[in-house]
Amino acid sequence: MADSQLFCVAEERSGHCAVVDGNFLYVWGGYVSIEDNEVYLPNDEIWTYDIDSGLCFILLIYEQEMKPTFGRKSPTLKGNHLHHVINFPAGYIKTGSRHSPASASRVAGTTGSRHHTREEQIFWGWHNDVHIFDTKTQTWFQPEIKGGVPPQPRAAHTCAVLGNKGYIFGGRVLQTRMNDLHYLNLDTWTWSGRITINGESPKHRSWHTLTPIADDKLFLCGGLSADNIPLSDGWIHNVTTNCWKQLTHLPKTRPRLWHTACLGKENEIMVFGGSKDDLLALDTGHCNDLLIFQTQPYSLLRSCLDCIGKNSIMLESQISLLPPKLLQQVLKKITFWAAANHREEQRVQKEETENKYQWISSN
């Protein structure tokens, strides 16, 4: 089911990276289109979204060539955004020029497209090799695949890890898009071959996301269909029964492709950014909203906090009587729903203005 729809103040973008850690969603990189030009977003900024309060701020990353230290300067204002500066020791996070392209490639990837240069000519190819990045040694290596039938060479697919298996779904193979599911056993380094699905399967697609939501379940969201239609559907795959189940209460007017999808602390899926258009034909529909998909009932505490946050004016005289620890949680939820309501009002006003201009131009 779709739980709520929020609007994050991070800049619009597609092809970015995102990760959830505790109470925060971190967003880095990506690009937007401005006057038919691809503009890569700064690679020394990390947009941070506080899941509890619904507020965003920027973390700045820069190299420090002196003695390695960790520290945080006082917050400063940059435009309308709260700005934090983080000091990292040189080599801990390497960043180039502020305006260098921000790559949003997978850190550890299986299959994909690659270009080769020979005598100043570029040749594009499709691959199904496997490369692993060791975060401890900070080195890449290519494991020896011991057997099984690998997926066809492809690009714009998605990967997810459950237990000792790395799952691959869909993606583009030459001029078509796929809806096949495979896994690589990360202990034996053998491929499963195409997994036989019991029942209905999602449409063929690329530029989608696949997110683990339980020990035996994967959440598929959005993408671009085989007939170049941006998708807004969501599916849950049970790896035990090999069945797909389509979710029925999703916002049909919010298609997404080349977005990110992360698992929140209460098993909600947090889908941020991406495009609502066919990037191959119209590269202007980059988004900055955050969609929340609830995959299981929230805890009683979370439900109560949301209820108080939504009705804070009516409960104003009683809120101050809460114990200090609980009061802090309630105040964050009040901020969260105030921010959500404000952004929704802004969205409605923007749509009304756009519709007015469209009506005027058409008449």
Side-chain angles (χ1 to χ4, degrees):
M1 58 178 293
D3 170 54
S4 60
Q5 180 176 303
L6 310 176
F7 291 84
C8 194
V9 297
E11 294 172 336
E12 299 169 347
R13 66 190 68 203
S14 296
H16 52 284
C17 297
V19 64
V20 170
D21 184 18
N23 292 331
F24 297 97
L25 169 69
Y26 300 97
V27 177
W28 178 84
Y31 85 101
V32 295
S33 297
I34 300 177
E35 297 180 352
D36 296 327
N37 295 313
E38 292 183 356
V39 178
Y40 291 87
L41 296 169
N43 65 353
D44 58 359
E45 291 182 356
I46 297 180
W47 288 79
T48 305
Y49 174 77
D50 187 325
I51 297 172
D52 288 337
S53 68
L55 300 178
C56 285
F57 57 92
I58 305 174
L59 298 178
L60 266 190
I61 301 174
Y62 69 95
E63 293 182 37
Q64 180 177 323
E65 298 296 341
M66 298 181 292
K67 182 179 179 181
T69 58
F70 287 86
R72 174 170 293 182
K73 293 184 178 180
S74 300
T76 59
L77 285 177
K78 178 183 178 184
N80 295 322
H81 307 296
L82 185 64
H83 205 128
H84 285 262
V85 180
I86 303 295
N87 297 338
F88 287 100
Y92 183 79
I93 293 182
K94 297 294 290 181
T95 60
S97 167
R98 176 180 176 84
H99 299 290
S100 61
S103 171
S105 302
R106 293 178 176 85
V107 173
T110 60
T111 80
S113 62
R114 182 187 302 170
H115 69 269
H116 306 272
T117 303
R118 186 178 69 222
E119 298 178 354
E120 298 183 354
Q121 295 183 9
I122 296 178
F123 301 90
W124 286 93
W126 306 87
H127 292 255
N128 63 352
D129 48 358
V130 179
H131 297 265
I132 304 295
F133 182 73
D134 190 321
T135 58
K136 292 183 179 179
T137 63
Q138 297 189 19
T139 56
W140 286 95
F141 70 94
Q142 188 170 2
E144 178 185 356
I145 303 302
K146 302 295 180 64
V149 179
Q152 293 171 266
R154 65 189 64 198
H157 56 286
T158 191
C159 309
V161 175
L162 279 181
N164 68 337
K165 296 181 176 65
Y167 287 85
I168 303 286
F169 179 83
R172 181 169 176 172
V173 176
L174 299 179
Q175 298 304 314
T176 188
R177 294 182 176 89
M178 309 294 289
N179 72 340
D180 52 342
L181 183 67
H182 305 252
Y183 72 75
L184 177 66
N185 188 305
L186 303 178
D187 293 330
T188 63
W189 297 109
T190 56
W191 283 104
S192 65
R194 180 166 185 161
I195 297 173
T196 301
I197 301 299
N198 298 315
E200 186 180 7
S201 293
K203 290 182 178 180
H204 298 63
R205 67 191 67 204
S206 60
W207 280 331
H208 48 284
T209 52
L210 190 68
T211 309
I213 58 173
D215 292 339
D216 60 350
K217 291 182 176 63
L218 298 165
F219 179 81
L220 172 68
C221 179
L224 188 68
S225 72
D227 49 357
N228 296 331
I229 302 298
L231 299 170
S232 60
D233 57 345
W235 297 71
I236 293 179
H237 178 72
N238 187 313
V239 301
T240 303
T241 62
N242 285 330
C243 292
W244 285 100
K245 179 181 179 181
Q246 184 173 11
L247 303 182
T248 56
H249 300 289
L250 300 185
K252 303 298 183 183
T253 59
R254 298 288 171 183
R256 286 294 179 271
L257 55 105
W258 214 3
H259 52 283
T260 53
C262 302
L263 186 66
K265 60 182 180 179
E266 293 202 44
N267 276 24
E268 69 271 45
I269 304 297
M270 310 184 73
V271 173
F272 174 74
S275 177
K276 60 184 179 181
D277 294 329
D278 173 10
L279 289 175
L280 302 176
L282 184 65
D283 192 11
T284 58
H286 303 281
C287 303
N288 71 338
D289 49 351
L290 178 66
L291 306 178
I292 308 295
F293 298 103
Q294 184 182 341
T295 62
Q296 67 181 32
Y298 284 138
S299 65
L300 180 59
L301 175 61
R302 167 67 182 270
S303 299
C304 291
L305 290 174
D306 281 335
C307 182
I308 296 173
K310 292 176 182 179
N311 300 280
S312 59
I313 296 178
M314 182 175 63
L315 301 172
E316 183 177 5
S317 63
Q318 303 173 57
I319 290 176
S320 60
L321 304 176
L322 294 171
K325 186 176 179 180
L326 186 57
L327 178 60
Q328 291 301 314
Q329 293 177 287
V330 167
L331 293 178
K332 278 194 171 185
K333 277 301 175 184
I334 292 174
T335 302
F336 175 92
W337 286 109
N341 292 334
H342 175 67
R343 290 165 186 158
E344 178 63 14
E345 290 173 359
Q346 288 183 318
R347 184 190 68 81
V348 171
Q349 290 176 0
K350 182 180 178 181
E351 287 188 354
E352 289 177 348
T353 301
E354 291 175 349
N355 292 336
K356 180 180 178 181
Y357 285 137
Q358 289 177 0
W359 184 84
I360 292 175
S361 61
S362 62
N363 290 274

